Amino acid sequence: MIRTESIHIPFTYAAGGTSSIFLAALRDEARILATPCPACDTVICPARSSCPACGGPTATPVDVGPAGTLVSWTELADGTTLALVRLDGADTSLVHRLAGGDGTWVAGQRLRARFGESRTGAITDIVGFESENGAGR
Amino acid sequence: MSTPDLAPLGVAGVGRSGPRISDPRSIPEIVLEAVESALADATCGYDDVDAVVTASVDLFDGLTASNIAVTEVVGAVMRPETRIAGDGLLAAIHAACQLWAGAYETVLVVAHSKPSMAPADLTPWAMDPIHLQPLGASFTACAGLQARVLTLDDPDAEGRWAERAARLSTLAGRPTSPAEVSASSVVASPLRERMRAPLADGAYAAVLSRGEASVLLRGAGHDLCAHSPGDRDLRHWDGLTRAAGRAYAVAGIDDPADAFGCVEPACLYPHEEDLFTAATGTGPDTPVSPTGGLFGGAVPVGAGLSRLVEATRALRAEPSLRRVLAHGTWGPAGQGQALTILEAA
């Protein structure tokens, strides 16, 4: 015998102080922030309160991007393309979507963030990254 | 940090249930079969077990806490039980630490999952809910990002992975050609459907003890990397390198290239074998997954313990293998890594 169930549980995830600053900058100013780590000199994007490399507390957020370089990408079965984008001024890669283009992507390609018109304070306030030339390549 | 002087432990018994693509039985029934098999193999009973370490993940079982469903069948009523919400090999290492600490004489390790319960990919719910989950990131997507990075300096990689996936599938009893792998649908480019070991239901169990046994656990190590694939150099499994360094130090292994009769990595995709080999320093002539590895059926959470079970069986059947490495990994793009070193007594 089989019992069928679907679990629908609403959650409220707190972004935390530094991530909230990062999300507010996306929403209010279309800016992308990173946090320098004073201990290991890594500039971490997205901005967070602690360094993923050494665990130490990070310093005041700084601007990075909005242009950057394509590090990796993967086309998924649902048609979306996720990517790692190393924004100018950052030492880590932002995970985000690729947008536009003809689906031909090249490592090292220059990209630029495209922000949505209506922004809510979420990582998806960036619609995706598109080629600085406007095409996939 | 100094290397602890740890006595070898005995792998007194191993058991399994499955893997089966879709097992109609309940989770307790699946787990019970694995436990009874391991206890019988160790010629002992529940009363001989001092403590239990289980591995299960609530998300995969649709139940909090997922160990509640197996408390009775693992013999944990009125007995110390620890639950690891991670790979089963991590549970085995936790059990080993309990034994090395002198807390117990015999510990039962059990890992299970039943992915056929929820056909959808649940791993997006295991991703950072602020920065990654809203983008649709999943373990599959992260594997694709990692595989892509490996192709950038290696144009032959995809063809080699197709050959490897075909070989592993064939060894596991599902004859497959590289052309069939390359023609299968894309799941997360450059990875294709038949490059992925098939998910399966199942449970694995092992009885570890401070007593003698024909197979010994000589060393173990585990390690974590940062969660986001954007925070890591995806060209390497650095966590596994660190875990291997700890395990080799405990086991007294100076030259891993010549140390193992075979290795049993828990690789869900063929590109992960490249990462595994580089991280562990195992030699190019060392046989890898001689029975097909996870391509015989990859049980989430159980995968790493399945490699320990397979390694134990291999050493018993062929003591001349001398030493076998069993590996486990969990999280996106190999975030968590564990390995154990088994030897014929």
Side-chain angles (χ1 to χ4, degrees):
Chain A
M1 302 296 287
I2 297 290
R3 174 175 171 259
T4 302
E5 182 64 273
S6 296
I7 301 175
H8 299 279
I9 306 174
F11 279 92
T12 52
Y13 297 106
T18 307
S19 290
S20 293
I21 293 170
F22 169 81
L23 296 173
L26 292 181
R27 180 190 62 194
D28 301 336
E29 303 170 279
R31 291 166 58 206
I32 304 173
L33 299 181
T35 37
C37 174
C40 68
D41 285 333
T42 305
V43 179
I44 301 138
C45 182
R48 278 157 288 172
S49 57
S50 63
C51 174
C54 74
T58 54
T60 304
V62 298
D63 283 274
V64 294
T69 314
L70 182 59
V71 173
S72 183
W73 67 99
T74 181
E75 297 106 2
L76 305 177
D78 65 1
T80 61
T81 302
L82 278 189
L84 300 180
V85 181
R86 184 68 54 89
L87 292 169
D88 295 343
D91 294 317
T92 66
S93 297
L94 182 71
V95 178
H96 218 290
R97 295 174 181 147
L98 295 181
D102 60 3
T104 305
W105 305 98
V106 179
Q109 182 175 345
R110 294 291 296 166
L111 304 170
R112 179 170 291 272
R114 177 155 64 87
F115 286 85
E117 294 296 322
S118 175
R119 299 190 293 272
T120 62
I123 190 70
T124 48
D125 285 350
I126 301 172
V127 175
F129 283 80
E130 52 194 11
S131 171
E132 280 197 320
N133 300 329
R137 211 182 247 280
Chain B
M1 186 188 301
S2 62
T3 300
D5 183 15
L6 303 172
L9 302 172
V11 183
V14 293
R16 69 181 182 187
S17 176
R20 296 171 67 177
I21 297 300
S22 181
D23 193 324
R25 295 176 298 169
S26 70
I27 285 175
E29 288 170 326
I30 295 170
V31 170
L32 179 61
E33 181 181 68
V35 170
E36 288 185 330
S37 173
L39 292 175
D41 190 42
T43 61
C44 71
Y46 286 113
D47 290 345
D48 300 305
V49 172
D50 300 318
V52 182
V53 183
T54 61
S56 59
V57 172
D58 297 358
L59 177 69
F60 295 163
D61 283 11
L63 178 71
T64 58
S66 49
N67 54 332
I68 287 173
V70 300
T71 299
E72 288 85 359
V73 293
V74 301
V77 174
M78 300 181 69
R79 187 170 285 128
E81 188 231 351
T82 306
R83 198 273 292 254
I84 299 292
D87 185 77
L89 199 64
L90 192 57
I93 293 174
H94 189 86
C97 289
Q98 291 180 335
L99 292 164
W100 276 323
Y104 306 116
E105 290 295 320
T106 303
V107 180
L108 172 67
V109 186
V110 188
H112 77 267
S113 74
K114 190 179 176 187
S116 69
M117 288 170 63
D121 180 6
L122 298 173
T123 62
W125 302 106
M127 304 299 297
D128 169 357
I130 303 299
H131 305 103
L132 299 175
Q133 205 179 90
L135 299 168
S138 66
F139 289 9
T140 304
C142 292
L145 290 170
Q146 185 155 47
R148 173 75 67 197
V149 168
L150 297 179
T151 65
L152 298 178
D153 295 323
D154 184 359
D156 299 328
E158 290 182 57
R160 191 175 67 251
W161 297 340
E163 289 177 6
R164 183 178 295 156
R167 180 181 66 84
L168 292 169
S169 294
T170 301
L171 285 170
R174 292 185 307 132
T176 305
S177 71
E180 289 174 304
V181 174
S182 296
S184 61
S185 58
V186 170
V187 293
S189 68
L191 299 175
R192 295 177 176 276
E193 178 63 39
R194 298 191 71 171
M195 284 183 182
R196 178 167 58 184
L199 295 185
D201 302 340
Y204 296 87
V207 178
L208 304 183
S209 78
R210 297 209 290 168
E212 294 182 356
S214 61
V215 174
L216 302 175
L217 196 160
R218 290 283 283 116
H222 62 95
D223 197 276
L224 278 172
C225 287
H227 173 66
S228 173
D231 292 338
R232 291 183 255 155
D233 181 351
L234 294 183
R235 295 172 299 174
H236 309 286
W237 270 356
D238 292 333
L240 182 57
T241 299
R242 291 188 292 269
R246 294 179 191 121
Y248 294 164
V250 171
I253 294 173
D254 298 322
D255 180 13
D258 190 36
F260 300 100
C262 76
V263 291
E264 286 288 351
C267 294
L268 200 58
Y269 302 94
H271 72 281
E272 294 180 340
E273 189 177 307
D274 292 339
L275 295 161
F276 167 86
T277 301
T280 56
T282 47
D285 297 329
T286 305
V288 181
S289 306
T291 57
L294 296 187
F295 279 72
V299 177
V301 182
L305 193 58
S306 82
R307 299 303 86 206
L308 183 145
V309 170
E310 193 67 26
T312 301
R313 290 182 164 194
L315 281 166
R316 285 180 182 171
E318 199 175 342
S320 62
L321 287 173
R322 199 168 37 98
R323 186 187 286 134
V324 179
L325 189 162
H327 163 249
T329 181
W330 63 98
Q335 182 192 2
Q337 298 285 349
L339 66 81
T340 54
I341 295 164
L342 306 178
E343 281 183 6

